[in-house]
Amino acid sequence: EGWMGPLAVRDDCQGAGQGKAIVRAGITHLAAAGCRTIGLETMPRTVDNIGFYSALGFVPGAITVTLTLEAGPPTAMRGLLSQVGAADRDAAVDECRALTAACAPGVDFSREMRLTHELGLGDTLMLRRDGILVAFAVCHAAPLVEGRSREELRVLKLVAADLAAMGALLDPLTALARRSATARVAIRVQGNFPDAYARIARAGGRVRWTDLRMSLADHPSRAPARGIVFSNWEI
């Protein structure tokens, strides 16, 4: 899975093909890295952007809706990667990798988990059922702009074996938001998971933002084989 983040060309340099050159170079790099999905997200109403990317071979997919849940009451936290001793951390990451591979073969979020822990950006919350890992979420609490206060806990990656496991992850996520000194947790829900969207909405999720996900026609976004996999394409 490869994606491109925000791109911009300075006003006085526009019209000379610089933007297209940047995007084509990004496509070449991601394809050479073996990505089966190559895409990006843009605002749904930016028709110029959508037209620009469409001319380069991207096609629109499902809309992504950011839903937020207010931070929950303070409670004792369990299942955090930061609570796992160094000797057992690799095993915990491997469990998350195995769950992801079972849901979406070829997808691996272990790098994001390790960087999140090593750089102190947030934490990974893991949920077990009868001792077996059934869901996890990689979350960032660090502000996006240096010097700003923490506003929300952002879920970058979420994997759940089924809808019940995803639903059971919501209360711990709101508790983690409180523990992280943030006011809410933000989850970006891809539109091809309507049941998950409805479950979060019923839990009190408020719509905060929308993004249009676009993928190259010959490198499309793929639905997981089973379960639920949310992947934020704009960290």
Side-chain angles (χ1 to χ4, degrees), residues 141-152 154 180-182 184:
L144 292 173
V145 178
E146 186 176 2
R148 288 189 181 176
S149 60
R150 295 185 174 194
E151 296 179 353
E152 59 188 21
R154 303 180 304 281
S180 304
T182 60
R184 65 191 70 89

Side-chain angles (χ1 to χ4, degrees), residues 212-232:
L212 177 65
R213 184 159 286 194
M214 303 184 73
S215 303
L216 276 180
D218 57 355
H219 288 74
S221 182
R222 303 171 187 271
R226 67 179 182 89
I228 295 166
V229 180
F230 295 156
S231 180
N232 184 345

Side-chain angles (χ1 to χ4, degrees), residues 99-134:
L99 176 60
T100 306
C103 293
V107 179
D108 181 1
F109 298 141
S110 57
R111 179 174 180 269
E112 285 86 347
M113 292 177 63
R114 294 184 187 281
L115 287 174
T116 295
H117 178 75
E118 293 168 4
L119 300 178
L121 300 174
D123 215 327
T124 297
L125 175 63
M126 298 172 288
L127 178 71
R128 298 180 186 278
R129 182 191 296 154
D130 297 327
I132 299 174
L133 183 74
V134 293

Side-chain angles (χ1 to χ4, degrees), residues 1-24:
E1 180 187 76
W3 50 268
M4 287 173 270
L7 304 171
V9 176
R10 204 171 66 188
D11 289 348
D12 61 339
C13 295
Q14 292 182 4
Q18 302 281 13
K20 290 180 180 179
I22 292 171
V23 175
R24 286 178 177 137

Side-chain angles (χ1 to χ4, degrees), residues 27-231:
I27 292 171
T28 299
H29 170 76
L30 294 172
C35 294
R36 295 182 300 176
T37 295
I38 297 178
L40 52 86
E41 287 182 336
T42 188
M43 289 182 287
R45 296 189 65 180
T46 53
V47 293
D48 290 342
N49 283 359
I50 294 171
F52 170 79
Y53 292 120
S54 296
L56 289 167
F58 290 85
V59 295
I63 196 169
T64 294
V65 182
T66 299
L67 296 170
T68 60
L69 295 167
E70 297 303 304
T75 183
M77 292 295 305
R78 298 173 56 189
L80 297 177
L81 185 64
S82 60
Q83 296 171 334
V84 178
D88 299 320
R89 195 169 298 137
D90 286 345
V93 172
D94 286 342
E95 281 186 282
C96 293
R97 181 190 294 114
L99 176 60
T100 306
C103 293
V107 179
D108 181 1
F109 298 141
S110 57
R111 179 174 180 269
E112 285 86 347
M113 292 177 63
R114 294 184 187 281
L115 287 174
T116 295
H117 178 75
E118 293 168 4
L119 300 178
L121 300 174
D123 215 327
T124 297
L125 175 63
M126 298 172 288
L127 178 71
R128 298 180 186 278
R129 182 191 296 154
D130 297 327
I132 299 174
L133 183 74
V134 293
F136 72 90
V138 183
C139 310
H140 282 190
L144 292 173
V145 178
E146 186 176 2
R148 288 189 181 176
S149 60
R150 295 185 174 194
E151 296 179 353
E152 59 188 21
L153 181 74
R154 303 180 304 281
V155 175
L156 270 64
K157 313 290 183 184
L158 185 152
V159 178
D162 49 45
L163 184 62
M166 191 222 70
L169 201 61
L170 298 181
D171 282 346
L173 280 171
T174 64
L176 181 58
R178 179 72 65 187
R179 177 189 176 98
S180 304
T182 60
R184 65 191 70 89
V185 57
I187 307 173
R188 296 177 75 170
V189 183
Q190 281 77 67
N192 52 329
F193 296 99
D195 291 342
Y197 179 91
R199 176 66 181 81
I200 298 172
R202 287 198 303 270
R206 297 182 60 188
V207 176
R208 296 286 185 175
W209 193 256
T210 57
D211 292 281
L212 177 65
R213 184 159 286 194
M214 303 184 73
S215 303
L216 276 180
D218 57 355
H219 288 74
S221 182
R222 303 171 187 271
R226 67 179 182 89
I228 295 166
V229 180
F230 295 156
S231 180

